[in-house]
Amino acid sequence: MLLSLSPLVIAAIVVGGYLLGSIPFGVIATRLGGAGDVRAIGSGSIGATNVLRTGRKDLAAITLLGDGGKGVVAVLVAHAIWGHDADVLAGAMAFVGHLFPVWLKFRGGKGVATFFGIMLAAAWPVGVAAALTWLVVFAVSRISSLSALTAALLSIAYALLLHQRSAIWGLAIFTCVLIFIRHRANIERLLKGEEPRFVRKSKPVSEPA
């Protein structure tokens, strides 16, 4: 429980989670992979979907694993050392770090991969249900942002139904709200019917989730 931890330990969890989450795997992968700066491509997001716009599926996969993995590591390390609730705090701060990384002047990604990593590590039934939701919605709509928004929103219901820890409920609500805020432009296009769908090969891919 967080109340049993010292202020110094809580500060370490907050700072450590944030710094881990702020590692910009999309920027690192595209630069080291010779694909330039992903922030100058497409929507300018540092997430895996925008990295895919470079045409490099390998770099997109590395970004996806890195962004999801840092959420997993933050949760598991905090849980192993400090137990319940510390893991949720670390995961939440890793999520904030991804969205607002200090290294990129607080202009980060939209948080979807990190959200899945956090949820899978903190409450795997919720994470699995959210991931399956993304897959089903994407298979039907071919719209990445709609899939992400639906998965994030339903993760709140999944948390309430599948998990007894109120901290997980709060984590689901917190991440959902921020995902919706970061997807404001996508939501506007969805409401206008202008959000592009994911298409293969020569056609352009959708805006990132």
Side-chain angles (χ1 to χ4, degrees), residues 30 35-45 50-55 207-208:
T30 52
D37 190 341
V38 68
R39 293 171 294 175
I41 299 169
S43 69
S45 173
N50 200 45
V51 172
L52 188 60
R53 295 179 69 92
T54 66
E207 290 296 322

Side-chain angles (χ1 to χ4, degrees), residues 5-80:
L5 301 177
S6 70
L8 185 61
V9 169
I10 293 176
I13 295 170
V14 169
V15 174
Y18 173 83
L19 291 177
L20 179 60
S22 69
I23 300 173
F25 283 99
V27 174
I28 295 171
T30 52
R31 283 185 172 177
L32 293 181
D37 190 341
V38 68
R39 293 171 294 175
I41 299 169
S43 69
S45 173
I46 64 173
T49 308
N50 200 45
V51 172
L52 188 60
R53 295 179 69 92
T54 66
R56 294 285 300 277
K57 293 181 180 180
D58 56 338
L59 299 182
I62 290 171
T63 302
L64 180 65
L65 292 174
D67 287 346
K70 63 190 180 184
V72 172
V73 171
V75 170
L76 294 183
V77 169
H79 181 81

